[in-house]
Amino acid sequence: MRTDDVLIRDGQLSADQVQAIRDLAISQQIRFDQAIGRLGYMTEDAVRQSLGRALGLRVVALADRAIESDVLVAVPRKLIFKHQVMPIEMEGESLVVATANPLDLDAIDLVHEATGLTIEPVLAPEDEIAALIKNYFGVGGETVGAMVGGTDFEIVDGERSSDDADELAQEASVVKLVNEIITEAIEQRTSDVHIEPTERGLRIRYRIDGVLQVQSLPPEIHRFAPAIVSRLKIMAKLNISEKRLPQDGRIKLRAQGRDVDVRVSIIPMAHGEGVVLRILDKGSLKFDLSGLGMSSQTLNIWQQLIEMPHGIILVTGPTGSGKTTTLYSALQEIARDQVKVITVEDPIEYNFDRIQQIQVQSKIGLTFAAGLRSILRHDPDVVLVGEIRDVETAEIAIQAALTGHLVLSTLHTNDAATAFTRLTDMGVEPFLVSSTVEGVMAQRLVRSICKECKTTYEPDPAELPPDFPRMDHPITLSRGSGCRNCRQSGYRGRQGIYELLAMTDPIREMVIERASSSAIKSQARKEGLITLREDAYRKLLGGATTVDELLRVTKSDDSLLRPNPSPAPVLRLTGDE
């Protein structure tokens, strides 16, 4: 029996539809049920329900399902991976096995022969079965299983094991394993992969939407940790024999039809070499100011700032807060045939056609300061300096602004007002800072609620932060319940929260007088500054993020240590928020 026969008999498809599905399945070499979904005749769920009725099989959901250890070991791992079947529970002498293709009778027979049990097949979504297999057997579980069965390799102290690891790194199985780790990371929208040796074995964590998540791994993978590191060194063109010093490299690859850059950092640790892979997926990012999550008020002021003929505009925040994306989006907005834009970066993360970009190379003396000094002789209109790290770079940036250039750069500060004191602490004269800096944008990234499982609720007042805004109407907040789309996290994607401080005459005077950052911030709030916390509250009340994200990323504007903190402000949302 075939899937098309079952669906025709069940009255779900016409003869013409079946023929169109058959043609697509043959031309693209996919299963019949997969072709149905692509043509849109039936949903995947409808196909499963129809097959279940016709074949007398249960249809089950596997999300969040826990499986007992004796059930997992009942079926040989190679059968699970080869046929994409998953044992989920034991009922006496009967083993319940989830499959997405109930007409693959060979798979059911092989599981029966291997276990000696009566097999009850049940229908489940293919992606849920794959996710469950990864969850219990780990990323690269099939490859590791084959490696364990096909090699006597073992990691021990001594030179011989090190040589063996380097030799094994060239084997096809290790190449495949490393490719699986990177491919899985890209599929999960990972920004950083942390490969960490520990006393108990290897640990791999993916940073997804800014939060580290531990990945399930086959227990045998720790035996191949040195080979994995050696393979990554080969891919990044690093010295595989050097295991005592930190090394940095870069890997360029294509995945899912997109160009992906991987920055590789390797540092010797107590139990081996630790690796962090920064994944720069060029195809997944769009540098568009309107899509960054700025309110209309903030976006309007920011666009006015970046159109200025000269001055310094700073973006501040910790590593991974989206500063580079904001600056690149600004450059895309102002880069025209009539405007020459030159950047000096470390490293160049993305390449643009209309922008001239310089890579910092400190080993040969090409620092931010040296690059910026040379840039000014190339007659630019707009200059981007990746980061102001020292007084020399700051002073050259100021001179560039004074001589008619618009300079964009970043600083590592916690809020916008602290940027002024940071520059003066470096040794820059306050009058130079006040006369050149036109605006400072502080930003963070908060996770967005998954649109597929978003629900609303009325919060318990006791669970809200002490500085929660006083509202003149009942409060309704949103959260994600967890689904396949967001890997049960309730979040998918991120958006920025922003604190934009535009320079005014009172603030210029305060900078010259070396006023504290708290005093500058207080004055800016009187002039209408929206702080990071307030912008986060706007997104919370607008249904874009959650209370947990607000507390994770921002701190209260009024210190809770004060005996009488300021009363929470009344916050009213504008039409676009």
Side-chain angles (χ1 to χ4, degrees):
M1 185 179 292
R2 301 185 311 188
T3 304
D4 50 352
D5 296 326
V6 174
L7 296 177
I8 291 173
R9 192 176 68 185
D10 199 45
Q12 297 292 330
L13 296 173
S14 66
D16 290 341
Q17 289 176 327
V18 168
Q19 188 58 52
I21 296 167
R22 285 173 178 165
D23 292 342
L24 180 65
I26 293 171
S27 64
Q28 297 193 6
Q29 296 184 333
I30 57 177
R31 291 202 316 266
F32 188 85
D33 56 320
Q34 294 173 325
I36 295 173
R38 294 191 185 182
L39 289 174
Y41 293 143
M42 295 175 65
T43 65
E44 291 183 11
D45 184 61
V47 173
R48 277 191 298 276
Q49 296 294 339
S50 183
L51 288 173
R53 286 193 300 270
L55 301 175
L57 301 179
R58 286 190 291 155
V59 178
V60 300
L62 299 181
D64 294 331
R65 180 179 286 268
I67 302 176
E68 299 294 335
S69 57
D70 59 334
V71 176
L72 289 174
V73 299
V75 180
R77 194 189 307 182
K78 63 181 181 181
L79 287 181
I80 293 174
F81 285 111
K82 182 176 181 179
H83 296 281
Q84 288 293 290
V85 294
M86 186 67 181
I88 57 175
E89 61 185 50
M90 192 94 71
E91 298 176 353
E93 293 298 313
S94 176
L95 180 66
V96 180
V97 176
T99 177
N101 183 14
L103 302 179
D104 184 4
L105 301 181
D106 287 341
I108 304 302
D109 289 341
L110 289 171
V111 174
H112 168 67
E113 291 175 5
T115 61
L117 300 171
T118 301
I119 306 302
E120 180 194 347
V122 295
L123 281 173
E126 185 176 20
D127 58 344
E128 289 188 8
I129 293 174
L132 206 61
I133 291 173
K134 282 182 182 176
N135 185 42
Y136 280 97
F137 296 100
V139 178
E142 181 179 10
T143 304
V144 171
M147 291 163 65
V148 171
T151 180
D152 294 328
F153 176 78
E154 180 110 23
I155 298 300
V156 295
D157 292 334
E159 291 298 323
R160 187 170 183 272
S161 66
S162 177
D163 294 339
D164 288 344
D166 295 340
E167 183 177 342
L168 188 62
Q170 307 281 3
E171 296 292 331
S173 55
V174 175
V175 172
K176 182 181 178 184
L177 175 60
V178 172
N179 289 346
E180 287 177 358
I181 292 172
I182 296 176
T183 301
E184 174 71 8
I186 295 170
E187 289 177 353
Q188 298 298 333
R189 303 175 296 107
T190 302
S191 61
D192 301 87
V193 179
H194 295 247
I195 302 174
E196 303 164 329
T198 68
E199 187 175 5
R200 297 183 178 180
L202 191 68
R203 178 171 69 165
I204 295 181
R205 295 189 288 174
Y206 291 168
R207 189 178 294 278
I208 301 173
D209 291 334
V211 178
L212 282 172
Q213 300 181 18
V214 177
Q215 300 302 300
S216 298
L217 297 173
E220 304 92 344
I221 198 171
H222 72 274
R223 297 170 56 184
F224 306 96
I228 292 171
V229 175
S230 293
R231 173 59 190 166
L232 288 169
K233 286 182 179 179
I234 292 170
M235 295 173 70
K237 298 180 174 61
L238 300 177
N239 184 358
I240 63 174
S241 62
E242 179 55 74
K243 306 181 190 302
R244 301 165 300 170
L245 296 174
Q247 296 189 70
D248 294 313
R250 198 164 190 166
I251 302 169
K252 291 186 177 182
L253 50 88
R254 282 187 65 82
Q256 301 173 349
R258 304 195 302 266
D259 289 328
V260 178
D261 277 358
V262 181
R263 296 212 311 260
V264 182
S265 175
I266 299 177
I267 298 178
M269 302 289 185
H271 301 287
E273 292 178 281
V275 183
V276 173
L277 308 177
R278 167 64 61 88
I279 297 176
L280 305 173
D281 188 352
K282 298 180 179 180
S284 66
L285 278 180
K286 295 182 179 179
F287 297 107
D288 178 16
L289 283 178
S290 61
L292 297 182
M294 295 184 193
S295 66
S296 59
Q297 175 186 347
T298 301
L299 179 59
N300 181 51
I301 298 173
W302 179 251
Q303 287 177 321
Q304 293 180 47
L305 287 173
I306 63 177
E307 291 290 346
M308 285 187 169
H310 55 78
I312 296 176
I313 301 172
L314 299 172
V315 180
T316 75
T319 301
S321 59
K323 300 188 298 296
T324 300
T325 301
T326 299
L327 288 176
Y328 279 161
S329 299
L331 291 183
Q332 289 291 89
E333 189 89 0
I334 61 180
R336 300 180 288 271
D337 290 340
Q338 299 82 8
V339 178
K340 179 159 185 174
V341 180
I342 306 180
T343 73
V344 52
E345 307 171 57
D346 183 25
I348 296 173
E349 296 189 1
Y350 300 93
N351 299 106
F352 299 97
D353 293 336
R354 295 180 295 175
I355 298 172
Q356 306 297 307
Q357 296 171 273
I358 300 172
Q359 169 69 56
V360 166
Q361 299 184 58
S362 301
K363 293 181 180 179
I364 60 173
L366 183 54
T367 61
F368 279 116
L372 180 55
R373 189 180 290 109
S374 300
I375 280 176
L376 299 181
R377 294 194 286 271
H378 268 246
D379 187 32
D381 298 294
V382 179
V383 174
L384 183 146
V385 184
E387 182 182 348
I388 295 179
R389 296 178 178 174
D390 51 47
V391 64
E392 184 182 10
T393 307
E395 288 178 342
I396 299 172
I398 286 172
Q399 291 302 318
L402 291 172
T403 53
H405 302 87
L406 180 65
V407 181
L408 308 180
S409 191
T410 69
L411 271 178
H412 287 291
T413 62
N414 290 326
D415 59 17
T418 308
F420 302 108
T421 55
R422 177 79 178 94
L423 289 173
T424 55
D425 288 344
M426 282 184 181
V428 181
E429 290 294 333
F431 76 90
L432 291 174
V433 175
S434 69
S435 61
T436 55
V437 177
E438 298 293 344
V440 183
M441 173 87 85
Q443 68 177 74
R444 300 291 189 277
L445 293 176
V446 294
R447 289 185 290 176
S448 301
I449 298 172
C450 175
K451 295 179 181 179
E452 299 294 327
C453 60
K454 183 177 180 178
T455 60
T456 58
Y457 71 102
E458 293 185 6
D460 182 349
E463 298 176 355
L464 297 176
D467 66 335
F468 193 89
R470 291 179 290 114
M471 306 297 294
D472 52 7
H473 55 78
I475 300 171
T476 300
L477 301 182
S478 301
R479 60 190 171 195
S481 58
C483 64
R484 282 185 287 168
N485 184 56
C486 61
R487 302 181 76 211
Q488 309 304 320
S489 68
Y491 301 97
R492 185 174 177 86
R494 291 187 291 177
Q495 60 182 293
I497 56 173
Y498 301 93
E499 175 180 301
L500 179 54
L501 193 162
M503 185 66 84
T504 62
D505 289 338
I507 292 177
R508 291 188 196 277
E509 292 295 327
M510 296 180 74
V511 172
I512 293 175
E513 296 170 0
R514 294 182 183 269
S516 67
S517 59
S518 58
I520 294 174
K521 185 172 184 177
S522 177
Q523 174 63 30
R525 293 185 72 180
K526 292 177 183 178
E527 297 175 2
L529 173 73
I530 299 172
T531 67
L532 287 169
R533 184 78 161 194
E534 290 169 344
D535 195 35
Y537 271 127
R538 290 177 180 230
K539 288 180 170 57
L540 171 68
L541 295 170
T545 192
T546 65
V547 174
D548 289 342
E549 277 299 284
L550 179 142
L551 295 175
R552 182 180 71 87
V553 174
T554 67
K555 69 174 184 177
S556 173
D557 293 319
D558 291 308
S559 173
L560 298 181
L561 298 178
R562 295 178 186 172
N564 297 301
S566 302
V570 175
L571 185 62
R572 294 179 176 84
L573 301 182
T574 59
D576 68 319
E577 295 155 335

